Amino acid sequence: MRQRDAAAPPRLRPGCSVFTVDGRGAVLRDAAGAMFDIALPGNELAAVRSALAGENGVEPEALAAFRQAGHLGARATWPAERARVVVLAREDAPFCEALRRAGADPVVVPATSTAADILACDPAAVCAWSDGPAPSAWRELDVLVDHGVAWQRASREGRHVLVEPVAGEVRHRDVVARRLAAAGSGHRHLAEFWAQHDTGEALHGDEDADPSDLALVAALLVNDLRAWALGSRSGESAFHPLPLPVDRRLRVVDLDTGAISDHPVLPVPASAP
């Protein structure tokens, strides 16, 4: 055994658990949800449990295997160098509060801000929300990516919210082009829907996002931005073996049912028609 730093006791990684099963002994649930038997003699297991519970200052040798396998560690926090997030939304939208709680440093600017206005805030990322179809001006903000800024967009079409990839490579214009192509013969309808919303000609029902809708959207956007900030791309687990990374995924959320569907999306090559 070795003496450990009293200021940094070993802790199970968030999502990991150690428990016992009658007739089987101790079991480890890892952060991805998989279960493993722990093949340790009783005295060594007791020492491991004691160390993980912070009950002594001696770290047993058996704990090294937990560390090497990635089962120990503190909860990851939002990196300071990626904390400044410019928010394009109304002042009373819940995005800033959600970002602050997650560890970011949000700054609200008018939704009509230009790329130059936004870059003057020195952001690491930009989070844009439209309570309606995505404004055409977002295509002009794709240039933010060329300045090393993560560019996140979410918009509402009817009672569905579209959460676009955190760019990265897949910019807003790529999402627009891919959606028009996927619409097939209906691409003119989709294009006119967007255009006439922009001009105010389209008529809509009572479909604006209410506070509970916005809370859901804010949670999803902050989760994606935090994954970007922490450099987490895959998120594979026993529950979701093949998730799409946040920079290659168009997420559609049904605000009335809570149903979520994820769709892969790739950049449109420069040579594409």
Side-chain angles (χ1 to χ4, degrees):
M1 293 191 178
R2 63 185 179 87
Q3 198 75 19
R4 68 167 185 258
D5 181 358
R11 295 290 302 274
L12 284 170
R13 177 182 170 188
C16 291
S17 301
V18 172
F19 58 98
T20 58
V21 176
D22 287 344
R24 294 293 299 269
V27 177
L28 169 74
R29 179 203 191 272
D30 74 5
M35 307 283 189
F36 304 93
D37 290 329
I38 301 176
L40 285 176
N43 61 330
E44 292 188 35
L45 179 60
V48 166
R49 291 181 63 96
S50 179
L52 291 174
E55 295 173 353
N56 64 60
V58 178
E59 185 171 308
E61 297 297 334
L63 204 58
F66 285 74
R67 180 173 285 106
Q68 291 170 4
H71 300 313
L72 302 184
R75 184 187 294 268
T77 58
W78 202 300
E81 65 273 14
R82 289 187 164 186
R84 176 61 62 89
V85 178
V86 165
V87 178
L88 300 179
R90 292 200 328 243
E91 288 277 357
D92 59 349
F95 303 104
C96 284
E97 181 60 26
L99 283 163
R100 286 192 193 96
R101 290 181 178 181
D105 176 23
V107 177
V108 176
V109 301
T112 55
S113 298
T114 65
D117 296 332
I118 294 169
L119 290 171
C121 298
D122 193 26
V126 173
C127 171
W129 160 249
S130 173
D131 194 10
S136 57
W138 280 5
R139 301 182 205 187
E140 299 171 14
L141 296 182
D142 279 345
V143 70
L144 292 168
V145 179
D146 298 327
H147 294 268
V149 176
W151 170 216
Q152 182 188 50
R153 297 87 56 202
S155 57
R156 180 186 55 74
E157 295 184 5
R159 292 291 293 162
H160 295 87
V161 168
L162 292 95
V163 181
E164 300 185 19
V166 179
E169 294 180 299
V170 183
R171 309 185 189 206
H172 179 60
R173 63 172 176 262
D174 296 314
V175 174
V176 169
R178 294 293 188 187
R179 290 191 62 201
L180 288 172
S185 60
H187 72 279
R188 291 182 59 188
H189 300 80
L190 186 57
E192 281 302 316
F193 172 62
W194 292 337
Q196 292 189 32
H197 174 80
D198 257 5
T199 61
E201 297 173 78
L203 299 177
H204 304 291
D206 181 11
E207 59 189 29
D208 291 356
D210 64 23
S212 63
D213 297 331
L214 289 173
L216 171 61
V217 174
L220 293 172
L221 294 185
V222 170
N223 193 66
D224 279 358
L225 266 187
R226 180 168 53 192
W228 160 81
L230 296 174
S232 304
R233 293 192 78 250
S234 63
E236 293 182 19
S237 73
F239 301 99
H240 201 178
L242 295 172
L244 295 169
V246 297
D247 57 353
R248 291 295 178 91
R249 177 247 288 151
L250 175 65
R251 170 165 284 176
V252 181
V253 183
D254 187 319
L255 293 176
D256 292 324
T257 67
I260 295 176
S261 59
D262 290 345
H263 308 269
V265 60
L266 297 173
V268 176
S271 59

